[in-house]
Amino acid sequence: MARRLFRLLTGVLTPLLFSLLWLSPAQAAPLSVVKPAVSCDSLQQFNLTAMGGKGSRVTAATLTTINHTEWCKVEGTLAPEIGFRLLLPTQSWNQRYMQLGCGGLCGSINLQPGAAAGCAPLNSNGFAVAATDMGHKESEQDWGNDPQKRQDFAWRSQHLTAVAAKALIAAFYQQKAAWSYFNGCSDGGREALVEAQRFPEDFNGVIAGAAAMNFQVQNAMYHAWQVVSNHDANGKALIVAQDLPLIHQAVLAQCDALDGQKDGLIAAPEACHPDLNVLACKANQTENCLNPAQLGALRKLYDGPRDSKTGQRLIVGGPQYGSELAWAGVFIPQQADQPVMSEMISLASLRYVNFKTNPAPDFALKDVKFDEATFKKLSELHPLYDATNPDLRAFASAGGKLIIWHGWADPHISPLNSIAYHQALGKELGNTQRDAFERLYLLPGVYHCSNGEGPSLVDFLTPMMNWVENGNAPGAVVTHQAAPQQHNSFGQPTGAGGKPPMMMQRNDLQLETIPAGAASRPVYPYPEYAVWSGKGDEKQAANYVRKTLPVIHSHYIWAGEAFYQPYHFVQ
């Protein structure tokens, strides 16, 4: 009787205790509000020359209202053409600063936060916030012809923006920011890692989502391959959007339960090895199946580019099983003759950015040779653009903290890139030293930076603040299901014709909120993941337990394995 009562009590109390101890992120210690010491318009006279060089200046400093709060909006240029915008709250500054990264090839200023859904200090309009266009405009697709603009995009814009923004903050409030954070996704994730690797004292905490850290092969090899592999001899797509649900369901049928829970999400895709032949058309079948050409294209899409002679992989990995519905519009068109984002961004990158000597402006994807010779040419600018250096000793010594996160269903950038970097940190620094300042989180069913079948609303900013400011390392972090109408432009590709859909608003500081009653689920630091305990509501995070992923790779075999070793940066 006593044993039965004990089991009953623990069955009821354990999820509750789990919720209290792990799933309610401790708030960072509140900091006192500091008011401005000078007028907003006086910042227009602030001298930026020492930071950006001759020609650097504040172009405007005006009061504006955002989120029912008054802000001083400062806009400026850091020579030669780096544009930035800084928002300074006049009544609610909590002594924190956050800099936001941009997506794609950038070219515009996007002050849309992400990975901070429901973060109280941010949603109370307490942060000073800034972003940059990375030194060029979206309309300027050939900006890579200018060596200075290449440098500005690679590393200079974010660093100088940090220096300038901190100086303006100190001038406005007559007090320095107590804590500084960088938050970026996609290329913004690359920018986040660039800051940690090149400028370890710029930020106390860095949040790097779905990082395009292998920039040189990301657009030039991965996105280009995803387009050409799905084309027939006439240049038309073999697989179109209407085929994706069929493929997705076939994968789920074989792999959904492998992670310990049948819920429409694949939380352990590296353990998934589906038989794609189940999709093959039978005799006289023409619908709800794939013909041989389509099936061949599908295998190439999952696998990614390989050298045609040696079979060597030219990228870390392709899209993961379970991501199929996210392919639509990225590299799978609605109709066979429609353009896709992958084509636009890969061409813009290949023509003007990736090579030391640019090809002809009419260079087409059919001209790309997926071989080791092309990879070698791309590798020449690896030390300029890429952000894969695992030597973060200086960042760790400065007290910096790093959270890396990635959606398992990301169609733009394979999450295997993030796993490879996490493992490289462990190899270079030792797992104990790595774990003292870095965490990796993988989100099942989540697309590129936001959205997906899985719970995509997440707040990594609060646990980051608690880690940086209180010394409390993060464990489980709760994710929530977004409402159908919720869309976020944070980290979404821009600057190569790949603009976010019109539904994605790009208003300054459009804050993410968590819908009432939204389903929730925890995520744990890699290599652990969450699975339903078998008791209670599957849509409540408190009813989940942690498990270790069934497949854990110490590294990935591909042509760029050396990228994940220490290297000298190119300025």
Side-chain angles (χ1 to χ4, degrees), residues 107-235:
S108 62
I109 297 174
N110 185 1
L111 281 166
Q112 164 69 73
C119 175
L122 178 64
N123 288 7
S124 62
N125 301 303
F127 277 73
V129 184
T132 173
D133 61 10
M134 300 286 280
H136 62 272
K137 306 302 179 189
E138 283 187 43
S139 58
E140 189 182 4
Q141 291 198 9
D142 62 350
W143 58 265
N145 287 330
D146 184 339
Q148 178 63 59
K149 291 185 178 182
R150 287 188 172 201
Q151 186 183 66
D152 291 346
F153 174 80
W155 62 269
R156 188 169 174 267
S157 293
Q158 292 294 358
H159 172 59
L160 292 189
T161 296
V163 174
K166 289 181 182 180
L168 286 161
I169 287 170
F172 190 53
Y173 301 106
Q174 293 296 292
Q175 181 174 321
K176 294 181 180 179
W179 306 104
S180 297
Y181 300 93
F182 192 98
N183 186 8
C185 194
S186 192
D187 194 75
R190 179 192 70 89
E191 297 152 27
L193 293 175
V194 165
E195 278 294 312
Q197 293 166 15
R198 290 183 181 241
F199 305 101
E201 296 187 359
D202 275 1
F203 296 96
N204 304 108
V206 171
I207 303 172
M213 63 183 75
N214 279 301
F215 179 85
Q216 276 301 89
V217 297
Q218 177 60 39
N219 296 337
M221 285 288 183
Y222 173 73
H223 279 295
W225 174 266
Q226 298 303 93
V227 177
V228 300
S229 295
N230 191 41
H231 278 178
D232 62 16
N234 297 316

Side-chain angles (χ1 to χ4, degrees), residues 244-269:
L244 297 179
L246 176 73
I247 299 169
H248 185 62
Q249 289 305 315
V251 171
L252 286 181
Q254 300 178 63
C255 295
D256 189 359
L258 293 178
D259 54 25
Q261 182 178 2
K262 197 166 185 179
D263 58 355
L265 304 176
I266 298 179

Side-chain angles (χ1 to χ4, degrees), residues 429-462:
L429 305 175
N431 290 349
T432 300
Q433 184 178 354
R434 176 198 64 194
D435 295 346
F437 73 94
E438 183 264 0
R439 291 289 184 276
L440 168 64
Y441 292 90
L442 298 170
L443 282 59
V446 174
Y447 294 176
H448 187 58
C449 301
S450 62
N451 303 319
E453 290 80 58
S456 61
L457 291 176
V458 64
D459 175 15
F460 286 120
L461 183 55
T462 296

Side-chain angles (χ1 to χ4, degrees), residues 233-542:
N234 297 316
K236 290 192 175 184
L238 293 162
I239 297 173
V240 295
Q242 68 178 17
D243 300 316
L244 297 179
L246 176 73
I247 299 169
H248 185 62
Q249 289 305 315
V251 171
L252 286 181
Q254 300 178 63
C255 295
D256 189 359
L258 293 178
D259 54 25
Q261 182 178 2
K262 197 166 185 179
D263 58 355
L265 304 176
I266 298 179
E270 291 190 281
C272 175
H273 304 287
D275 178 6
L276 298 179
N277 288 322
V278 300
L279 292 163
C281 294
K282 298 178 175 58
N284 300 320
Q285 185 183 8
T286 58
E287 295 182 352
N288 299 318
C289 63
L290 300 183
N291 62 41
Q294 291 175 310
L295 206 52
L298 179 61
R299 290 193 170 94
K300 291 179 181 178
L301 294 175
Y302 282 124
D303 193 46
R306 292 177 181 265
D307 181 274
S308 57
K309 293 182 179 178
T310 66
Q312 173 128 9
R313 285 186 180 275
L314 301 176
I315 60 170
V316 179
Q320 296 301 286
Y321 292 113
S323 67
E324 297 78 20
L325 298 182
W327 300 358
V330 182
F331 48 83
I332 299 298
Q334 293 295 326
Q335 304 295 331
D337 56 354
Q338 288 183 336
V340 289
M341 190 286 301
S342 288
E343 181 175 10
M344 291 183 283
I345 201 164
S346 60
L347 278 177
S349 195
L350 282 162
R351 286 172 175 170
Y352 303 113
V353 182
N354 292 129
F355 297 109
K356 280 189 173 181
T357 302
N358 288 333
D362 61 351
F363 183 88
L365 293 189
K366 63 179 177 59
D367 301 319
V368 179
K369 292 181 173 58
F370 297 96
D371 56 24
E372 292 183 15
T374 301
F375 189 92
K376 186 176 181 180
K377 289 182 180 179
L378 292 168
S379 300
E380 292 175 353
L381 294 181
H382 154 70
L384 174 65
Y385 292 121
D386 288 353
T388 54
N389 194 327
D391 185 359
L392 290 186
R393 289 178 176 84
F395 181 72
S397 296
K401 301 293 185 285
L402 173 64
I403 290 178
I404 301 171
W405 67 277
H406 215 131
W408 268 125
D410 188 339
H412 289 261
I413 301 171
S414 175
L416 302 193
N417 289 272
S418 291
I419 297 174
Y421 186 64
H422 172 80
Q423 301 295 52
L425 286 174
K427 182 178 181 181
E428 177 64 23
L429 305 175
N431 290 349
T432 300
Q433 184 178 354
R434 176 198 64 194
D435 295 346
F437 73 94
E438 183 264 0
R439 291 289 184 276
L440 168 64
Y441 292 90
L442 298 170
L443 282 59
V446 174
Y447 294 176
H448 187 58
C449 301
S450 62
N451 303 319
E453 290 80 58
S456 61
L457 291 176
V458 64
D459 175 15
F460 286 120
L461 183 55
T462 296
M464 173 59 83
M465 287 189 294
N466 197 36
W467 198 6
V468 166
E469 299 173 25
N470 298 339
N472 297 326
V477 176
V478 183
T479 62
H480 293 85
Q481 195 73 42
Q485 70 274 15
Q486 282 186 287
H487 298 278
N488 191 325
S489 63
F490 178 67
Q492 298 303 316
T494 61
K499 296 181 180 179
M502 293 301 293
M503 66 182 69
M504 292 184 181
Q505 299 300 313
R506 297 182 62 184
N507 299 330
D508 286 350
L509 292 185
Q510 185 176 347
L511 302 172
E512 287 186 300
T513 57
I514 299 171
S520 60
R521 179 184 184 128
V523 289
Y524 295 99
Y526 181 87
E528 295 183 323
Y529 71 105
V531 64
W532 182 50
S533 67
K535 298 178 181 179
D537 189 349
E538 290 184 62
K539 296 183 179 180
Q540 296 298 315

